[in-house]
Amino acid sequence: MLFEPPLDVDGSQPTDWLARFDREIATGRTPAALVTGMKASRLGPPMLNAVPRPVLVLLTSMMLKREDKGAANGSEPTFRELAPSLHCDGQVAAETAGNLAAYQTTRAEVLLLGGTKSPAHLRAALTALEGVLPHARRVELEGLDHSATSNTARRGAPRRVATEIRRFLLPG
């Protein structure tokens, strides 16, 4: 099962941000790293491009502090804890650039999931995979975006995603 993987389709996933991101993570500048990753992945609203970077870093820092205070129960990871994993998205994009045909030999049945309101470059990656995977089924979640897999408290729709996964794993 894949939910909007960060695959490079015709240069759709730049990776030139990785070095900066890694430096920011290594030096403990998590808010700056999150801004770097967010801008690179183009997951935020387009109007964020008009906001100066220092303001975005400040707002992200405030959000992380607020989230840290509310995460005392430890029931789910915080964005601060998850931040380093953004490197993996960039790495996957770099490794798949121009090489989606390699997936043609995949024998497993694959569920491709995505939201109808997700950015075009993520939907394009699903379309490209759908074209090369021999046993792929695609489900578009109407009205949802890339945050669909997040918990409800983060504006996700985990039950809708889980329903599609359940249908895939337990047909009939």
Side-chain angles (χ1 to χ4, degrees), residues 28-85:
R29 296 181 302 147
T30 303
L34 284 169
V35 169
T36 297
M38 177 190 64
K39 289 178 87 59
S41 62
R42 301 176 315 266
L43 292 176
M47 72 106 182
L48 288 182
N49 293 326
V51 178
R53 182 178 174 84
V55 174
L56 290 175
V57 172
L58 175 65
L59 292 172
T60 302
S61 179
M62 292 167 54
M63 180 273 299
L64 290 175
K65 287 178 184 174
R66 186 173 54 252
E67 186 184 53
D68 289 343
K69 286 181 185 176
N73 65 8
S75 65
E76 64 183 77
T78 64
F79 280 114
R80 186 181 308 280
E81 294 168 325
L82 292 172
S85 70

Side-chain angles (χ1 to χ4, degrees), residues 81-161:
E81 294 168 325
L82 292 172
S85 70
L86 285 175
H87 172 90
C88 298
D89 284 6
Q91 186 173 347
V92 166
E95 291 173 0
T96 59
N99 194 26
L100 293 184
Y103 294 108
Q104 289 175 327
T105 60
T106 302
R107 300 269 181 252
E109 292 185 35
V110 179
L111 175 63
L112 302 172
L113 289 167
T116 60
K117 290 189 173 184
S118 291
H121 64 283
L122 294 176
R123 292 190 322 269
L126 289 174
T127 299
L129 277 175
E130 189 176 21
V132 298
L133 288 169
H135 307 287
R137 184 174 75 178
R138 182 171 177 178
V139 174
E140 291 191 355
L141 300 165
E142 185 65 38
L144 297 180
D145 62 17
H146 193 65
S147 66
T149 58
S150 297
N151 288 335
T152 307
R154 289 188 175 154
R155 296 180 301 239
R159 287 179 191 227
R160 285 184 62 192
V161 174

